[in-house]
Amino acid sequence: MSIASAPLPSSDRLDVAAQLREALLAVDFTADGLLDLLGAPAYAALARSETVPALRATRGDGALETLVRLFLLQRTVPHARVAAVLPVDALLESGWLAEADGGLAATVDVRPYGGPDGEDWFIVSDLGCAVGGAGGIGSHDEGVVLGVGGASTTLAGLTVRTPVESALDLGTGSGIQALHAAQHATRVTATDLNPRALHITRLTLALSGAPVATVLEGSLFEPVGEETYDLIVSNPPFVISPGARLTYRDGGMSGDDLCRSLVQQAGARLNEGGYAHFLANWQHVDGEEWTERLRSWVPRGCDAWIVQREVQDITQYTELWLRDAGDHRADPEEYAARYDAWLDEFDARKTRAVGFGWITLRKAAAGLGAAEPSVTVEEWPHPVEQPLGETVRAHFARQDFLRAHDDAALLAGHFKLADEVVQEQVGLPGAEDPEHVVLRQHRGMRRATKVDTVGAGFAGVCDGSLSAGRILDAIAQLVGEDPVLLRDRTPAQIRLLVEQGFLEPVGA
């Protein structure tokens, strides 16, 4: 029997899920509890799908060791050991456990997951398909449901977490994004093309003690019709591949059409002021500028912030995803044939590389619908500080401020230096003056920008007490420059510092 056709626990027995949750928490089967039990090296090895260190660390017969072997390492455990920790009869009846080789075995992977505010959650996935699961990452099996991966946590960290009435998790998988959304949305809808994923999402929510979500089967926005939402999140099957062999990752449309369609259709499904967050892959096509290509995806009436985090040439990209599915361990001729088919697909579409990153849309707020949209497309492969949800919200707030303030209004405004911004002076040792001055953030996007002496001096005294114009007049007097000329040439630099988050408008 394939993994994707194996029976799943009942999603209707919320009482049993509550009993299981209570039993798991009672023995500290949590993210922190696992780290304490296994130790950092074995815990990190699990994330690399290496189970031997964890097996060695769970040789004892304690309650937590029993649950780690049962649910994480997917070993058969003697009936008596399990019965000492869990309500076995109820779990057998509802399908969480099964009889196996004279003992008991889990029917799904259950993975502790720490919420953003210290919540103890549990992510359910198919056996061996959690990141760090007993069977490794990825599968040849069509229709399997994976657990939490780096992409899942990245998207969760990017999402703006203001309270909303309605949220949509499109392509929910094992329900991670729906679980996060349930903490700040009154109503959550989760959709997926794979009915098995919807079943597992119900299990994830129930076992985590989260409110029940509406789950709908179907592709893209089809299941929700004309319904609109305050928040849309999606970690879609964005892999650009020949065909749709693996539902959990392959888009099934030509090239990057799935990601493009998803982004373009999202505008009509967002309420005013609402956000949509996507992870996506996109093609770098001969003769096309990738930034302009992505700009064309942004729907009317929406502002956008698109960040390219990584670019791979087509051979690197092909090898990554063939290995993800374990194809490199198959027959060498079969592997070569698959590799060749991927390169044929890229050649046909004149694709020379593939980019990966984040796309955030915000539906224009009242009064801004007729304004020129703010669309920022940039490459930022550098480290950032997650979570970034507040950074994303602040980005769009700054765009609104800048659109509403011409140069005269900007000079009349008050600003303060953002938290944890430092100044670096770069130059030859012993030189009287630095060659250039750099402002650097230690929060959020962790940007750095080069400024002139006026820009550095301006930023350094911005504490919200004086208007920008009065600060420039004082600087002009200090450096012996015409204050009118300084006022004329400095607003562009102020705009850049505000746009990138080094300066924050006061009272905006």
Side-chain angles (χ1 to χ4, degrees):
M1 179 185 297
S2 70
I3 296 174
S5 61
L8 291 170
S10 169
S11 61
D12 297 326
R13 294 296 305 274
L14 298 182
D15 58 326
V16 177
Q19 291 179 55
L20 177 54
R21 173 177 173 80
E22 183 179 347
L24 297 176
L25 293 176
V27 299
D28 205 16
F29 186 74
T30 63
D32 289 340
L34 291 188
L35 182 59
D36 290 341
L37 171 69
L38 301 177
Y43 194 75
L46 261 186
R48 302 191 299 271
S49 301
E50 296 291 349
T51 59
V52 173
L55 284 166
R56 292 172 61 86
T58 55
R59 287 172 173 170
D61 58 1
L64 186 52
E65 285 99 327
T66 296
L67 295 186
V68 170
R69 282 188 167 251
L70 186 66
F71 287 118
L72 266 66
L73 303 177
Q74 281 127 45
R75 295 301 196 268
T76 298
V77 180
H79 191 289
R81 284 187 59 183
V82 180
V85 187
L86 299 177
V88 166
D89 291 342
L91 295 177
L92 282 169
E93 180 189 357
S94 58
W96 288 94
L97 299 178
E99 302 279 359
D101 299 326
L104 295 174
T107 58
V108 288
D109 185 295
V110 175
R111 186 66 40 128
Y113 179 71
D117 296 317
E119 302 94 341
D120 288 316
W121 294 338
F122 300 96
I123 308 301
V124 180
S125 63
D126 273 315
L127 291 174
C129 293
V131 173
I137 303 169
S139 172
H140 284 291
D141 231 349
E142 171 68 13
V144 298
V145 180
L146 303 189
V148 179
S152 303
T153 55
T154 294
L155 180 60
L158 285 173
T159 303
V160 175
R161 296 295 175 193
T162 52
V164 294
E165 174 64 27
S166 58
L168 170 65
D169 175 13
L170 193 152
T172 187
S174 55
I176 300 104
Q177 308 307 326
L179 179 57
H180 278 277
Q183 311 310 305
H184 64 105
T186 304
R187 295 182 293 106
V188 176
T189 301
T191 70
D192 206 289
L193 185 63
N194 182 2
R196 189 175 183 86
L198 298 176
H199 190 120
I200 285 180
T201 290
R202 292 189 188 98
L203 297 177
T204 290
L205 294 174
L207 195 56
S208 298
V212 174
T214 300
V215 296
L216 301 172
E217 181 182 344
S219 177
L220 299 180
F221 289 100
E222 288 175 4
V224 300
E226 301 303 314
E227 187 76 21
T228 59
Y229 299 89
D230 302 312
L231 173 68
I232 299 172
V233 290
S234 183
N235 177 17
F238 52 65
V239 177
I240 300 170
S241 62
R245 184 164 61 110
L246 301 174
T247 303
Y248 67 84
R249 67 163 210 194
D250 295 329
M253 295 185 183
S254 183
D256 53 17
D257 285 354
L258 183 138
C259 291
R260 176 185 55 78
S261 298
L262 191 59
V263 173
Q264 288 180 335
Q265 294 174 21
R269 269 74 177 194
L270 274 178
N271 292 327
E272 184 181 281
Y275 288 91
H277 302 273
F278 307 100
L279 300 186
N281 279 185
W282 44 78
Q283 299 168 125
H284 285 231
V285 179
D286 284 336
E288 296 184 33
E289 177 57 47
W290 72 269
T291 55
E292 293 306 310
R293 195 163 185 276
L294 288 178
R295 284 179 182 275
S296 72
W297 292 11
V298 179
R300 288 178 58 86
C302 287
D303 300 320
W305 186 16
I306 302 173
V307 182
Q308 179 167 273
R309 295 288 288 158
E310 185 179 359
V311 181
Q312 292 184 320
D313 67 49
I314 56 175
T315 61
Q316 292 174 311
Y317 188 82
T318 299
E319 292 161 14
L320 169 68
W321 293 109
L322 290 178
R323 286 190 171 90
D324 172 80
D327 290 317
H328 62 302
R329 295 190 293 268
D331 177 74
E333 290 188 6
E334 182 180 344
Y335 173 75
R338 289 195 187 280
Y339 200 142
D340 206 34
W342 281 59
L343 297 185
D344 283 344
E345 172 79 5
F346 287 129
D347 285 346
R349 299 186 66 82
K350 299 181 180 179
T351 301
R352 55 183 172 79
V354 178
F356 168 82
W358 319 324
I359 298 176
T360 297
L361 305 178
R362 188 200 52 175
K363 191 68 170 283
L368 294 175
E372 184 70 19
S374 166
V375 178
T376 302
V377 184
E378 62 177 326
E379 186 164 19
W380 191 255
H382 312 294
V384 299
E385 183 192 48
Q386 284 275 32
L388 281 168
E390 178 55 26
T391 299
V392 173
R393 187 208 61 76
H395 166 87
F396 287 99
R398 292 193 301 269
Q399 303 308 310
D400 291 345
F401 173 85
L402 291 172
R403 281 188 294 192
H405 289 73
D406 59 17
D407 285 357
L410 202 66
L411 292 174
H414 294 237
F415 303 90
K416 69 181 184 69
L417 192 66
D419 293 337
E420 297 194 38
V421 173
V422 298
Q423 177 180 301
E424 300 173 357
Q425 296 185 350
V426 182
L428 293 173
E432 184 175 345
D433 296 312
E435 293 180 13
H436 58 262
V437 178
V438 173
L439 298 181
R440 187 178 302 277
Q441 301 169 350
H442 286 275
R443 301 293 299 273
M445 294 295 285
R446 294 179 175 169
R447 297 186 186 277
T449 190
K450 189 186 298 185
V451 292
D452 60 20
T453 53
V454 171
F458 179 86
V461 298
C462 277
D463 60 4
S465 59
L466 297 175
S467 70
R470 290 187 62 186
I471 292 174
L472 289 179
D473 290 343
I475 292 174
Q477 187 174 1
L478 283 173
V479 300
E481 188 169 340
D482 186 333
V484 175
L485 294 178
L486 194 61
R487 278 174 171 256
D488 284 344
R489 69 177 176 84
T490 306
Q493 190 168 191
I494 297 175
R495 283 186 182 278
L496 179 64
L497 293 176
V498 172
E499 181 179 4
Q500 294 190 346
F502 291 94
L503 293 178
E504 298 174 352
V506 174

